[in-house]
Amino acid sequence: MQRSCACNQWRGIACVAVAAALLGVAFATNPLVPDNGAWIGVSIDWTTWASVNDYVQQAEFQPTSYTIFISVPLDVQDQGLLDNVVPQIAALGGMAVIVAQPTYGLSEITTAAAETFAKIIEGYEEQGASMLIEFGHEMNGNWYAWGQQPAEYIKAFQTLSTAIAKNCCRSFMLWSVNTGGGYPYPNGTDIAKYVSASDFKLLDTNGDGSITTADDPYAPYYPGDDYVDWVGMSLYHFGTTFPYDQNVLPEAQKFTSTIFGTFKTSYVDYTSLPNFYEVYSAPNGTHKKPMAIPETGSLWDLNHLTGAAPTELQVKTAWWQQVFNIGGDTTNALDLSVHMPNLRLVAWFDQKKVESSADNDMIDWRYSASSVIHDAFVSYIGTKDSNGNK
């Protein structure tokens, strides 16, 4: 959406990128997109770290983006978190990915509420901040209060996007789905009886009178090109079979084939899924938006430690070698700089948490889980491509 303000250049970010570290992004024509390659980001537990700088010191590299989960409208606690963290991120030359969750219901995103939120974001911009606003993430899932309500979701997204465009220069809207594997959840279950009549018409994309895995898991929720600046997908490596709590190596090329709708094994078939990248991000696609992977990681279930192979290092290494591969095609991973050149941000979920999708087990997604895993991760993301770029 066109910004009404006179936008300045990004004030020289010092960052690590997949293909290059770049300076001077022009906001008026380029919503925080690097000229080449992709930014590397992290999602961390903000209760664990005294400051952003403390995290950077232990990480031994400086991420470009830092994810912050908050509710909209903002409550006192969440605004306090933003007030504390966003200026710190800006001071380090990074950008904040603010996951704005309509926890109190989509109907709460009124024009007035959106304006209030946008004014707060504008205030952070005045302190030098740059932000992606990821509103109502994973809205195609059924695990959040805003899930699988496409009509109301689109209205709320458009309302917030309009307010951000009106008030802000260096903040942009990110529309990010959950991977469509298993849609409409759980495991392709027909959800027709759970949705309104108006939403049913939107969700039954093939017109067969039911809402199943045969329907498009993305298109009904898309707010429109005028309101979306970035597109994205949450994409993790879980175990192979329900309840997906097995500590196993990811299948070859699982990362890209899930996005492309070509992933198929003896136990799962995602080949009915649309090619998300081709439709929403590819330069010759329909929407041509820069793409983010705002959340990714490889499952390590702390409730199922057997001491047998594979090790935690092997499981996580195999995944990040797919997620960050720019070193040429291999049997394990496609070169993202060739096959997904408009992938512009990848953020590792550097937290451990209980996962309902893994039988409510405690899952450690962190690359920082141990010094051995940390050192291997930092070494890998510093690898150079064939052109000598990091």
Side-chain angles (χ1 to χ4, degrees):
M1 181 173 287
Q2 183 65 43
R3 264 53 181 173
S4 60
C5 52
C7 298
N8 300 316
Q9 284 194 333
W10 199 347
R11 54 191 198 92
I13 183 170
C15 70
V16 178
V18 174
L22 299 165
L23 308 179
V25 175
F27 296 107
T29 58
N30 195 336
L32 310 184
V33 180
D35 289 340
N36 294 288
W39 308 124
I40 291 181
V42 291
S43 178
I44 68 176
D45 180 353
W46 293 102
T47 65
T48 302
W49 302 98
S51 70
V52 179
N53 192 59
D54 282 349
Y55 179 83
V56 171
Q57 291 300 312
Q58 73 82 30
E60 298 180 319
F61 80 99
Q62 187 164 317
T64 304
S65 73
Y66 303 80
T67 301
I68 311 166
F69 289 83
I70 53 93
S71 295
V72 285
L74 282 169
D75 57 28
V76 173
Q77 182 176 354
D78 283 344
Q79 184 161 353
L81 175 62
L82 292 179
D83 288 347
N84 177 36
V85 171
V86 172
Q88 293 184 54
I89 295 170
L92 289 174
M95 67 177 175
V97 178
I98 298 176
V99 184
Q101 305 171 104
T103 309
Y104 312 108
L106 290 163
S107 62
E108 293 296 308
I109 312 302
T110 63
T111 299
E115 281 285 324
T116 298
F117 181 74
K119 288 292 186 182
I120 293 169
I121 297 302
E122 181 185 24
Y124 299 136
E125 286 191 351
E126 292 172 355
Q127 300 177 62
S130 302
M131 290 154 281
L132 290 181
I133 310 301
E134 184 183 353
F135 176 72
H137 70 304
E138 300 175 4
M139 80 305 297
N140 57 335
N142 64 353
W143 43 87
Y144 292 126
W146 56 90
Q148 298 183 343
Q149 303 166 63
E152 195 170 1
Y153 171 79
I154 287 172
K155 178 182 177 182
F157 191 105
Q158 291 176 344
T159 298
L160 187 60
S161 179
T162 299
I164 292 293
K166 174 185 173 183
N167 292 281
C168 303
C169 290
R170 297 194 306 277
S171 301
F172 299 88
M173 295 295 294
L174 167 59
W175 173 75
S176 187
V177 301
N178 192 67
T179 174
Y183 179 85
Y185 318 105
N187 301 319
T189 303
D190 184 357
I191 61 167
K193 63 183 179 182
Y194 302 113
V195 302
S196 67
S198 58
D199 281 339
F200 177 82
K201 292 179 181 178
L202 296 173
L203 295 172
D204 183 20
T205 58
N206 65 359
D208 68 352
S210 60
I211 305 169
T212 66
T213 189
D215 290 298
D216 190 321
Y218 312 129
Y221 306 93
Y222 189 64
D225 286 348
D226 288 344
Y227 301 94
V228 173
D229 298 302
W230 285 65
V231 298
M233 177 184 289
S234 297
L235 178 50
Y236 292 87
H237 167 58
F238 278 83
T240 54
T241 55
F242 185 82
Y244 310 114
D245 57 358
Q246 303 87 18
N247 294 324
V248 294
L249 292 170
E251 296 81 357
Q253 301 186 10
K254 179 179 181 178
F255 177 71
T256 48
S257 62
T258 300
I259 296 169
F260 296 162
T262 59
F263 185 64
K264 184 177 181 180
T265 69
S266 60
Y267 53 85
V268 70
D269 185 349
Y270 293 166
T271 56
S272 66
L273 294 178
N275 185 326
F276 184 89
Y277 179 78
E278 183 178 81
V279 174
Y280 294 99
S281 185
N284 60 348
T286 304
H287 301 288
K288 302 178 179 64
K289 301 291 183 178
M291 182 175 171
I293 301 293
E295 298 180 36
T296 194
S298 190
L299 177 140
W300 189 253
D301 192 323
L302 298 177
N303 293 49
H304 293 281
L305 302 181
T306 66
T311 66
E312 182 178 7
L313 176 61
Q314 289 171 331
V315 169
K316 292 180 177 178
T317 298
W319 188 243
W320 72 55
Q321 286 177 346
Q322 295 191 32
V323 170
F324 297 113
N325 179 39
I326 56 168
D329 289 350
T330 69
T331 55
N332 183 57
L334 296 182
D335 186 328
L336 300 178
S337 66
V338 174
H339 298 276
M340 296 181 65
N342 215 20
L343 177 61
R344 301 303 198 165
L345 169 65
V346 180
W348 193 271
F349 193 78
D350 196 30
Q351 302 185 43
K352 64 177 181 179
K353 62 188 285 282
V354 171
E355 291 288 353
S356 59
S357 298
D359 207 25
N360 291 310
D361 289 347
M362 178 63 72
I363 307 303
D364 195 341
W365 301 103
R366 298 173 300 166
Y367 78 85
S368 61
S370 72
S371 59
V372 171
I373 298 171
H374 163 274
D375 291 350
F377 178 84
V378 173
S379 176
Y380 186 80
I381 63 173
T383 301
K384 293 183 179 181
D385 66 12
S386 59
N387 295 317
N389 296 316
K390 285 189 175 182

